Amino acid sequence: MRGILKIAYKLLVNDKGKFAALLIGITFAVFLMVNVTSMFAGMMMKASATVVNTGAKMWVMDRAVNTVASSIPMPDYVLNAVRSISGVKYAVPFYSGAGLARLGDGTYQGVTVLGLDDTSLYGRPALIQGHIEDIYAENGFIVVADEELPKLHNPKVGTEFEINDNRGVIVGVAKVPASGLFGVPTLYTTFSRAIQYIPSMRYTISYVLVEPASPAAIPHIKDEVERLGYRAVTETEFVARNTSFYMWRTGMGINILIMTIISFVVGLSISGQAFYTFTLENLDKFGALKAIGAKGRELVAMILLQAGVTALAGYGLGVGLCAFIIALAKVRLKDYASIVTMRNLGLAFGMVVVIAGISSVIAVRKVLRVEPFEIFRG
Amino acid sequence: MHDVAIEARGLSKWFGEGDTRTYAVREVSFEARHNEILYIVGPSGSGKTTLLSMISGILRPNVGNVQVEDVDLWALDDNHIADFRLNTVGFVFQDYHLFPRLTTVENVAIPLILKRRNWNEAIGEAMHCLEVVGLTGRAALPPNKLSGGEQQRVAIARAIVSAPDILIFDEPTASLDGDTGRKIIEFVKKEVLNEKRCILIVTHDNRIFEYADRIMAMEDGRVVGFNKGENRA
Ligand SMILES: Nc1ncnc2c1ncn2[C@@H]1O[C@H](COP(=O)(O)OP(=O)(O)OP(=O)(O)O)[C@@H](O)[C@H]1O
Ligand SMILES: [Mg+2]
């Protein structure tokens, strides 16, 4: 069989024009699919930046919260109630809100303010300048050094500014794994200072961060929080919740989905069509092979090999092209949100397999029907 | 092994049914012998290609049977018929059906590769066959770079590479000039024909009649007579 497959391979790749046409279809489809889904994955990572950066195992929130950025304050008793649930190792308050910073030159800049529990500083970022204890200093804020930092005019330790008409001073610079989606800089401070400086309602706790005693305690904690009338989710669930909100309840996800489907359909029609034409043009060759004595399953194997080689090569090229363009974009645009995840690759691969499968089925049906007598008759 | 290589009995083939039924071949019986070149001649549409197809395992007859080396061909199942074509018959199609995307030597090796021979071995034997047809120098070229006569010889090399007992040529010289056509058949007679082989050639080309051992004439699907070729007389 290996020799027969070798023949099939040569028939395919030696026909450079057709092979290129076949590859272009698949490459293009894979490129589009991986590109849009990576963009979405990139944006989603940014949308869940606070969750990922904080690193809490569990989050307690109002049931109506859809995304981490739109928190709904909870009354203080929730914190105490959560602390008293068995299986909770510890639970701390967390503040997330929006403030308005006034910079040295008098311009304004919106910022995200995150307030860490005063006693534990749970969820604190890693500092690249300054010391975390300085967060307790008067008006102390830690700024995150991400792509948004220039919007605050690149503050350093000691830089002063105003935040919602209160004085603020940078006491540290932090590095975090992910930066936010909305293009505003992030400031960390203590929970108490955050609720003091940022106007808030009677209720002040955005989230309660929970460290469960063990993974086994998680379901019980969820149930108990549910009974309180609130919701507890794990870190991954929260990220998934964010993503599914953007995916299904904003125009963003739906459009990405439609775009993915379009790339699939375009890829399928271009490649399917090209593969069909390729097979049609080789039909007399397949017929001649049949006349000489090739069996049906050998011809099927040849077609599957040709479809498989095309699919794999096109997939590789498409992914490569996509990675190249994303890398290029990231050099030019720091905020370019795109990450190629295993899931994107898997999805695109699945679609390529479907495209190759459908194309081969069409081709196989054609080839198995060819009558060697018709070839013989000329 | 006795003298008769192919024995066809009462072969009929029709296309369509009812009012549209037309006979391509009607009740044809004949024998072809080892070491014989049998020509099949007749006007266009007289059923020559249809007959060749039925005795080479390509087209199932409606009625009649074919014995090849004592095997009842059409009693075999499809896979065995494919094996029969692969092992026992060598075809030279009218328009060659060479693969332009393969080299000449790879084209010749195809029947061996279908027989699951190791690639390098197959190429080696194909090379030997190209030597027989005098085309060693063209081995690495794609066949569409070759002249018509050379392509014809490649097709012959492909037909003989697996040492088949029966060789089937349909209009081998139709697209060649008279000289080349004659040279090809002369070559076949000298180099390809042997004690164990039988060669059937369909042709319109009376320039090559002189190489026939017997000539079978067809008309309207029937055999209308045999002529002794000038050669054996
Ligand atoms: N698939 C088919 N369907 C209907 N009629 C067919 C089919 N194949 C062959 N025929 C008919 O059978 C008859 C014999 O055809 P065949 O090809 O065997 O003739 P031939 O003697 O080889 O002619 P030529 O010299 O032109 O090649 C013709 O009338 C042809 O139209
Ligand atoms: Mg014919």
Side-chain angles (χ1 to χ4, degrees):
Chain A
M1 199 63 130
R2 266 175 58 195
I4 295 170
L5 296 181
K6 194 164 172 180
I7 298 237
Y9 176 78
K10 287 182 176 228
L11 290 180
L12 176 70
V13 301
N14 288 355
D15 196 344
K16 294 198 181 63
K18 298 273 172 27
F19 188 47
L22 282 168
L23 282 185
I24 286 169
I26 300 253
T27 303
F28 184 66
V30 169
F31 170 71
L32 284 181
M33 283 189 280
V34 175
N35 201 29
V36 288
T37 52
S38 300
M39 237 179 245
F40 188 67
M43 288 192 284
M44 287 309 99
M45 193 175 101
K46 282 172 172 271
S48 294
T50 304
V51 183
V52 175
N53 294 341
T54 303
K57 294 226 176 60
M58 289 185 82
W59 294 66
V60 174
M61 66 197 73
D62 190 281
R63 279 177 176 163
V65 169
N66 288 315
T67 69
V68 63
S70 52
S71 59
I72 299 170
M74 297 177 287
D76 289 352
Y77 82 83
V78 178
L79 177 62
N80 293 320
V82 170
R83 280 177 171 157
S84 64
I85 295 171
S86 70
V88 170
K89 196 166 167 196
Y90 53 83
V92 298
F94 185 71
Y95 177 87
S96 164
L100 196 55
R102 188 165 185 265
L103 308 181
D105 63 356
T107 55
Y108 287 93
Q109 171 63 48
V111 291
T112 297
V113 177
L114 301 177
L116 304 173
D117 173 45
D118 289 61
T119 41
S120 64
L121 298 182
Y122 187 60
R124 59 174 167 254
L127 294 197
I128 47 177
Q129 271 178 47
H131 301 284
I132 191 69
E133 303 81 43
D134 294 340
I135 202 170
Y136 297 121
E138 207 179 338
N139 300 324
F141 283 84
I142 290 168
V143 69
V144 171
D146 58 12
E147 294 86 35
E148 319 302 344
L149 190 63
K151 292 176 181 162
L152 292 175
H153 299 173
N154 295 313
K156 286 182 272 299
V157 172
T159 303
E160 298 197 350
F161 60 102
E162 280 176 31
I163 179 150
N164 290 32
D165 295 333
N166 295 290
R167 254 172 54 78
V169 58
I170 301 296
V171 295
V173 180
K175 195 89 194 151
V176 292
S179 60
L181 179 64
F182 303 108
V184 294
T186 304
L187 294 174
Y188 279 92
T189 188
T190 60
F191 183 83
S192 55
R193 184 174 299 123
I195 63 174
Q196 190 189 336
Y197 282 20
I198 312 292
S200 45
M201 317 191 332
R202 196 149 51 92
Y203 300 155
T204 51
I205 301 175
S206 312
Y207 298 99
V208 174
L209 309 181
V210 177
E211 177 73 24
S214 71
I218 291 174
H220 173 68
I221 297 172
K222 282 186 180 176
D223 289 346
E224 290 298 311
V225 170
E226 192 71 26
R227 199 165 307 160
L228 284 172
Y230 290 87
R231 172 178 284 128
V233 294
T234 63
E235 184 180 17
T236 23
E237 284 167 351
F238 199 12
V239 171
R241 227 179 126 67
N242 274 325
T243 308
S244 96
F245 175 78
Y246 287 106
M247 182 84 170
W248 302 109
R249 293 170 64 189
T250 67
M252 200 151 113
I254 305 287
N255 286 319
I256 297 283
L257 198 69
I258 292 174
M259 190 63 191
T260 310
I261 294 172
I262 291 176
S263 356
F264 172 68
V265 171
V266 169
L268 177 61
S269 21
I270 298 182
S271 321
Q273 168 69 34
F275 196 67
Y276 185 63
T277 324
F278 175 76
T279 311
L280 277 193
E281 282 169 17
N282 278 304
L283 210 54
D284 63 319
K285 303 294 178 295
F286 283 112
L289 284 176
K290 233 178 176 178
I292 292 172
K295 300 189 184 67
R297 63 190 144 81
E298 289 165 347
L299 301 182
V300 171
M302 289 178 77
I303 289 175
L304 289 182
L305 177 107
Q306 291 175 336
V309 166
T310 311
L312 280 183
Y315 179 74
L317 283 176
V319 170
L321 184 65
C322 192
F324 174 72
I325 292 205
I326 291 174
L328 204 67
K330 283 192 172 166
V331 169
R332 306 287 308 167
L333 305 161
K334 287 219 170 75
D335 268 334
Y336 192 75
S338 203
I339 43 167
V340 182
T341 66
M342 285 314 277
R343 265 175 77 183
N344 303 152
L345 294 179
L347 180 76
F349 188 74
M351 291 196 167
V352 164
V353 168
V354 171
I355 290 177
I358 294 178
S359 307
S360 350
V361 167
I362 298 171
V364 160
R365 283 166 56 104
K366 204 79 199 162
V367 166
L368 288 185
R369 285 217 192 111
V370 64
E371 272 294 334
F373 176 58
E374 299 303 326
I375 303 304
F376 195 44
R377 243 160 54 93
Chain B
M1 185 179 292
H2 53 79
D3 196 38
V4 175
I6 304 170
E7 187 178 346
R9 285 286 160 259
L11 285 180
S12 288
K13 180 74 198 178
W14 61 77
F15 295 99
E17 284 302 335
D19 290 346
T20 61
R21 183 192 277 197
T22 51
Y23 278 82
V25 171
R26 278 176 206 261
E27 289 160 35
V28 167
S29 301
F30 74 96
E31 286 167 5
R33 299 171 196 139
H34 290 117
N35 207 10
E36 170 178 68
I37 296 186
L38 175 66
Y39 277 36
I40 303 174
V41 300
S44 181
S46 57
K48 307 179 297 289
T49 300
T50 309
L51 181 62
L52 276 191
S53 306
M54 289 191 291
I55 59 179
S56 58
I58 282 185
L59 184 68
R60 187 177 286 276
N62 294 105
V63 183
N65 59 61
V66 178
Q67 302 273 337
V68 180
E69 314 289 2
D70 290 333
V71 175
D72 184 355
L73 173 58
W74 292 106
L76 301 174
D77 65 35
D78 285 353
N79 271 337
H80 283 98
I81 290 173
D83 283 334
F84 167 82
R85 293 199 296 266
L86 188 55
N87 297 315
T88 313
V89 190
F91 295 96
V92 179
F93 305 108
Q94 179 171 339
D95 27 14
Y96 316 146
H97 290 295
L98 298 173
F99 293 60
R101 305 298 169 190
L102 301 178
T103 63
T104 292
V105 66
E106 285 164 353
N107 265 280
V108 174
I110 283 177
L112 297 177
I113 287 161
L114 287 178
K115 286 170 99 163
R116 310 290 168 94
R117 296 284 293 279
N118 160 293
W119 181 272
N120 290 333
E121 254 177 61
I123 294 291
E125 282 179 43
M127 207 61 198
H128 177 74
C129 274
L130 278 181
E131 209 177 302
V132 172
V133 297
L135 285 176
T136 343
R138 302 282 189 275
L141 291 176
N144 52 0
K145 292 261 156 65
L146 274 51
S147 75
E150 288 172 332
Q151 289 186 32
Q152 179 68 286
R153 280 188 277 161
V154 175
I156 292 171
R158 183 174 69 181
I160 62 175
V161 74
S162 58
D165 297 337
I166 299 168
L167 277 160
I168 303 266
F169 294 70
D170 199 356
E171 305 280 6
T173 57
S175 49
L176 304 177
D177 65 74
D179 235 26
T180 315
R182 244 193 327 275
K183 269 198 204 130
I184 294 263
I185 301 298
E186 212 167 311
F187 165 80
V188 166
K189 182 140 188 116
K190 231 174 79 201
E191 304 288 340
V192 180
L193 189 64
N194 63 35
E195 257 75 82
K196 290 194 293 184
R197 280 208 173 125
C198 136
I199 298 178
L200 276 71
I201 300 179
V202 162
T203 187
H204 284 111
D205 186 356
N206 54 19
R207 297 169 301 190
I208 58 171
F209 280 8
E210 58 183 288
Y211 301 102
D213 293 312
R214 284 191 303 154
I215 298 175
M216 180 169 104
M218 291 187 71
E219 225 168 80
D220 208 13
R222 297 178 201 274
V223 176
V224 292
F226 285 88
N227 295 309
K228 199 105 181 144
E230 294 142 46
N231 217 292
R232 279 262 165 114

